[in-house]
Amino acid sequence: MTYQRNIGDTVEAVDGIGYWARGNIVGCSDEAEHYEIRFEGWSSDHNRSVPLCELRDPVVVDASPAATTGKTKRKRKPTRNVSSLRLHRDDVREITLDGLKQAVQIDYIDPIYNVIGAYVAGEKRTLFHDDFNETSTLLPQKKKKTTSSKCGKRPAQCPSPDQARLNHPSQTETHEAPGSQHAVPGPTLPLQLALGADDFIKVGDLCFFLGQVVVLVTSIFYEIGADQVSVLSPVCTLVGDVVTGVEPNCEIRCLSSHLKKANSKMSPVIRGIVKETKAKNFEAVYCTATRMSTSRSFVMLTRTLQIGCFLRESCQELLRSASLRKSLSVMMDAFDLDIFVVDPKSLKVVYAIEHNFAFLDGIMGLLWDIPRGAKSSEHFGFIRSITVSVKDMRVNFVIAKGKSVYPLECDYRPLAIASLQCSSVAGISDTQSPDC
């Protein structure tokens, strides 16, 4: 049997987080479809079995002179190495990308994975050291003139704190969702999660756009002027039910309510992109925007999303357990009294399924009060009430559930209310199962 690769060969393979790394082949399957790779600098515990499509010949960088010419070391041509080009953050260089010369501004340099983050025509992209070769030229940067003000006001050229952290969508081909009203984008602030069509979506999630196209959520942002939450998502490429990559220069910008979570599998390359995207988004949201923003509506929206996601998961945990009640508390925030409209005298408010659960739908989304994945042919548990109270600078939640005597239907809340009324007429306690 002839193998395309041999044991002992030095290759580059995709590691567990989706990056190309150097290693040696230490084994292969009988059909030569998968090869076991031991990566350089790592023990055998980190060996990984990869298919042939995730192998390539190692990239060789020749750091020696092409020929001995008798010239001094200062006259040697620079190699294709990031350090030899002396790249710095905020440098603007002219390089060749996609067959065209373009000016790029360097945002960060990762010496571990040898990648470079840069802005190309307003779009943030991840480049490699091969893109910055010896032909790239450093462009001069114009110095901005600033004027000082004796009264301490901000100069006209300097943006406000919210405008300084604009998260404008990229300049690539962007498809607008119907009814999204994004003809003139305004100032935006980044978010980590948003309320989707039926559940919370986060940066790095795979979602269906209008139930058809699979997209990868890479940016969630709050539009200050329009007072709405939008999402920027590149369209994914699939092989079967596995997401293998994203379409170049093809992104969809829409409202978060147009997206619904998808259960597609991710390839190692996509998992690496998701990990990097989540890290950048976390830093942008919690280390910059939330702490420095002067927009009250943005900070309140961030807190509402956090509390809503926390309560939704707590309700699902109670529905999966055998308990009838669940008590929990969180440290009080300045906006919690406004979010739940707590009575200023009693510092308490009760939300019951009979009258005001529609308010909680706006915080936690749809179907939060029944078990996730419940079938229509079975009796179902449901959340009957949530009591919110404030004491000792903590917000306390008491969640109670009930059991329906009717099978699940699309309009399930009237069935749940009828089950509660049946229990009260029969005089059955919470610990018993009503049977009308």
Side-chain angles (χ1 to χ4, degrees):
M1 183 178 294
T2 303
Y3 295 100
Q4 299 184 25
R5 299 280 182 177
N6 297 320
I7 296 177
D9 287 353
T10 300
V11 295
E12 286 190 358
V14 178
D15 62 11
I17 60 175
Y19 291 98
W20 290 97
R22 192 182 183 96
N24 297 317
I25 299 177
V26 296
C28 62
S29 63
D30 294 338
E31 295 80 9
E33 295 180 353
H34 288 76
Y35 295 86
E36 184 178 359
I37 306 299
R38 178 167 182 174
F39 296 98
E40 292 185 358
W42 296 88
S43 66
S44 58
D45 296 336
H46 299 276
N47 288 5
R48 186 168 182 267
S49 179
V50 299
L52 186 61
C53 62
E54 295 184 4
L55 293 179
R56 70 181 184 186
D57 293 330
V59 178
V60 179
V61 179
D62 187 7
S64 61
T68 305
T69 58
K71 297 180 181 179
T72 62
K73 293 183 179 180
R74 296 181 181 178
K75 299 298 182 179
R76 291 179 180 175
K77 293 183 179 181
T79 61
R80 296 166 67 89
N81 194 332
V82 178
S83 59
S84 65
L85 291 176
R86 298 184 182 276
L87 298 180
H88 300 282
R89 185 177 180 180
D90 296 331
D91 278 357
V92 179
R93 285 186 170 269
E94 185 180 45
I95 63 175
T96 302
L97 284 177
D98 304 326
L100 299 174
K101 286 190 175 182
Q102 303 186 52
V104 301
Q105 182 178 3
I106 298 175
D107 180 45
Y108 69 90
I109 301 173
D110 191 332
I112 299 177
Y113 297 109
N114 212 13
V115 296
I116 300 170
Y119 289 97
V120 183
E123 175 195 2
K124 194 167 185 179
R125 295 179 55 179
T126 300
L127 306 177
F128 300 92
H129 68 276
D130 286 341
D131 298 321
F132 293 84
N133 52 28
E134 60 271 10
T135 61
S136 64
T137 56
L138 181 64
L139 301 180
Q141 302 184 41
K142 296 181 180 180
K143 294 184 178 180
K144 296 182 180 180
K145 296 181 180 180
T146 57
T147 58
S148 60
S149 177
K150 294 182 180 180
C151 62
K153 294 183 178 180
R154 186 182 293 106
Q157 294 85 349
C158 297
S160 65
D162 286 336
Q163 294 172 341
R165 293 182 298 279
L166 296 184
N167 186 17
H168 291 294
S170 63
Q171 302 297 324
T172 59
E173 181 183 0
T174 304
H175 301 276
E176 299 287 346
S180 56
Q181 301 179 354
H182 287 306
V184 183
T188 61
L189 289 168
L191 292 169
Q192 191 182 31
L193 70 160
L195 198 54
D198 57 354
D199 200 349
F200 284 91
I201 58 175
K202 300 179 182 180
V203 170
D205 284 349
L206 294 175
C207 297
F208 285 114
F209 170 63
L210 298 180
Q212 299 176 350
V213 183
V214 177
V215 297
L216 174 65
V217 179
T218 57
S219 178
I220 304 176
F221 47 90
Y222 168 67
E223 298 186 65
I224 300 175
D227 192 21
Q228 62 187 14
V229 179
S230 300
V231 179
L232 192 65
S233 310
V235 178
C236 298
T237 57
L238 288 88
V239 177
D241 61 344
V242 179
V243 177
T244 58
V246 293
E247 294 286 351
N249 302 328
C250 184
E251 293 178 323
I252 292 178
R253 175 173 178 169
C254 63
L255 299 179
S256 60
S257 57
H258 291 158
L259 298 182
K260 185 176 181 179
K261 275 190 176 181
N263 295 323
S264 303
K265 299 178 182 179
M266 297 185 184
S267 67
V269 176
I270 291 296
R271 286 198 293 267
I273 296 175
V274 168
K275 183 177 180 181
E276 182 181 359
T277 302
K278 286 182 177 180
K280 292 181 181 178
N281 177 261
F282 180 86
E283 181 181 359
V285 173
Y286 293 106
C287 299
T288 303
T290 306
R291 293 186 178 184
M292 300 179 61
S293 176
T294 58
S295 173
R296 184 181 185 275
S297 58
F298 168 72
V299 179
M300 185 172 180
L301 172 63
T302 303
R303 178 64 176 178
T304 303
L305 291 171
Q306 293 171 347
I307 289 291
C309 186
F310 170 71
L311 282 179
R312 186 184 181 101
E313 293 301 322
S314 300
C315 290
Q316 292 299 316
E317 290 178 5
L318 176 61
L319 291 170
R320 291 192 298 265
S321 67
S323 303
L324 295 175
R325 293 179 182 273
K326 184 180 181 69
S327 300
L328 44 101
S329 67
V330 296
M331 287 298 298
M332 180 180 174
D333 188 83
F335 297 100
D336 290 346
L337 296 179
D338 297 332
I339 293 174
F340 293 102
V341 197
V342 177
D343 184 5
K345 294 183 178 179
S346 62
L347 297 179
K348 181 179 179 180
V349 61
V350 178
Y351 295 95
I353 193 173
E354 293 88 352
H355 50 86
N356 53 4
F357 263 23
F359 175 81
L360 296 180
D361 291 342
I363 298 177
M364 291 185 279
L366 301 177
L367 307 177
W368 59 269
D369 52 342
I370 59 175
R372 187 181 288 117
K375 298 180 181 179
S376 58
S377 59
E378 61 184 14
H379 299 269
F380 61 98
F382 60 90
I383 302 297
R384 58 185 299 177
S385 66
I386 296 181
T387 303
V388 184
S389 61
V390 178
K391 184 178 181 181
D392 298 332
M393 298 304 295
R394 298 190 68 87
V395 182
N396 305 303
F397 303 94
V398 178
I399 308 173
K401 76 174 184 180
K403 182 70 174 180
S404 173
V405 298
Y406 305 101
L408 179 63
E409 296 182 4
C410 293
D411 191 12
Y412 61 89
R413 283 182 179 168
L415 301 178
I417 295 174
S419 298
L420 292 178
Q421 294 174 349
C422 177
S423 302
S424 62
V425 170
I428 301 175
S429 63
D430 291 344
T431 60
Q432 297 173 313
S433 298
D435 188 10
C436 297

